[in-house]
């Protein structure tokens, strides 16, 4: 571990200090540059500040369902609305609705939310994001993605 201020190799435990609101791990020579954070003295009692929990390897994120465009079209037509009418209701352009229904574009989260509200449907689902050593798996083929992404029950 190296001191974040002078870059010297830290021997032993080092010191966690707060400099202008951000935490730094520094050597004993640099610890006076900020307020030491490892212990906080309060009313004469020494409290140990707990470290933040490590991020779990699996996270859930919300993703658009595969057939979101079909759901939007179906629900819109069920209500007898034209693309223009639906667009007006969510204060967007009709061309945007057309592109979404044709899957030409992926709608912005705000647009998805408005569509979910007005059509009373769920267009997103929770998916597991598998992380390897804290990194997201990227550049997988479609087959791989299907295997590692399981729907949350
Ligand atoms: Zn230092």
């Amino acid at each position: 571990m190296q001191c974040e201020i002078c870059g010297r190799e830290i021997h032993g435990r080092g010191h966690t200090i707060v400099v202008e609101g951000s935490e730094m791990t520094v050597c004993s020579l640099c610890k006076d540059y900020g307020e030491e954070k490892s212990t906080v003295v309060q009313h004469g009692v020494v409290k140990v500040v707990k470290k933040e929990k490590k991020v779990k390897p699996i996270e859930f994120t919300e993703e658009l369902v595969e057939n979101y465009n079909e759901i939007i079209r179906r629900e819109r037509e069920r209500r007898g609305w034209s693309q223009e009418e639906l667009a007006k209701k969510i204060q967007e352009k009709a061309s945007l609705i057309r592109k979404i229904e044709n899957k030409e574009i992926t709608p912005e989260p705000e647009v998805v939310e408005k569509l979910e509200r007005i059509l009373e449907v769920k267009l997103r689902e929770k998916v597991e994001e598998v992380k390897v050593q804290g990194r997201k798996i990227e550049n997988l083929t479609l087959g791989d993605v299907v295997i590692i992404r399981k729907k949350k029950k």
Side-chain angles (χ1 to χ4, degrees):
M1 192 163 49
Q2 283 181 322
C3 170
E4 287 181 52
I5 289 177
C6 69
R8 221 187 310 254
E9 192 69 33
I10 298 171
H11 297 287
R13 285 172 54 215
H15 300 266
T16 303
I17 59 165
V18 178
V19 182
E20 287 170 356
S22 51
E23 272 184 45
M24 294 178 123
T25 305
V26 299
C27 68
S28 53
L29 295 170
C30 298
K31 72 177 166 65
D32 293 328
Y33 283 108
E35 215 178 307
E36 191 146 7
K37 219 214 166 174
S38 55
T39 52
V40 175
V41 181
Q42 212 174 52
H43 303 298
V45 183
V46 178
K47 283 186 180 178
V48 177
V49 177
K50 278 183 189 170
K51 271 195 168 185
E52 267 180 60
K53 276 184 190 171
K54 279 195 173 180
V55 183
K56 283 180 187 172
I58 295 169
E59 287 185 352
F60 290 99
T61 56
E62 295 231 298
E63 269 195 11
L64 275 176
V65 294
E66 190 66 27
N67 61 336
Y68 68 87
N69 58 320
E70 291 165 23
I71 297 170
I72 294 164
R73 174 167 285 150
R74 190 189 65 211
E75 291 302 315
R76 177 179 61 75
E77 287 175 349
R78 211 161 62 90
R79 287 164 172 78
W81 298 342
S82 65
Q83 290 179 336
E84 286 78 14
E85 280 173 305
L86 174 58
K88 256 185 210 166
K89 287 176 199 293
I90 62 162
Q91 291 165 321
E92 296 289 346
K93 287 183 183 141
S95 58
L96 180 77
I97 303 296
R98 196 190 63 233
K99 282 176 187 164
I100 292 170
E101 287 188 3
N102 290 335
K103 244 183 172 176
E104 284 170 39
I105 57 157
T106 307
E108 299 284 323
E110 304 93 89
V111 177
V112 174
E113 268 172 42
K114 286 195 277 187
L115 286 167
E116 283 182 331
R117 218 175 304 141
I118 199 93
L119 298 170
E120 297 170 302
V121 288
K122 200 89 187 85
L123 299 171
R124 289 168 292 187
E125 63 182 359
K126 283 203 163 140
V127 291
E128 264 181 36
E129 236 176 58
V130 181
K131 287 186 178 184
V132 174
Q133 291 173 342
R135 282 186 183 180
K136 282 182 189 173
I137 298 170
E138 279 165 22
N139 302 324
L140 288 170
T141 64
L142 199 63
D144 294 331
V145 175
V146 171
I147 292 161
I148 62 160
R149 285 187 170 171
K150 286 178 284 184
K151 276 184 195 173
K152 197 191 178 189
K153 278 164 199 166

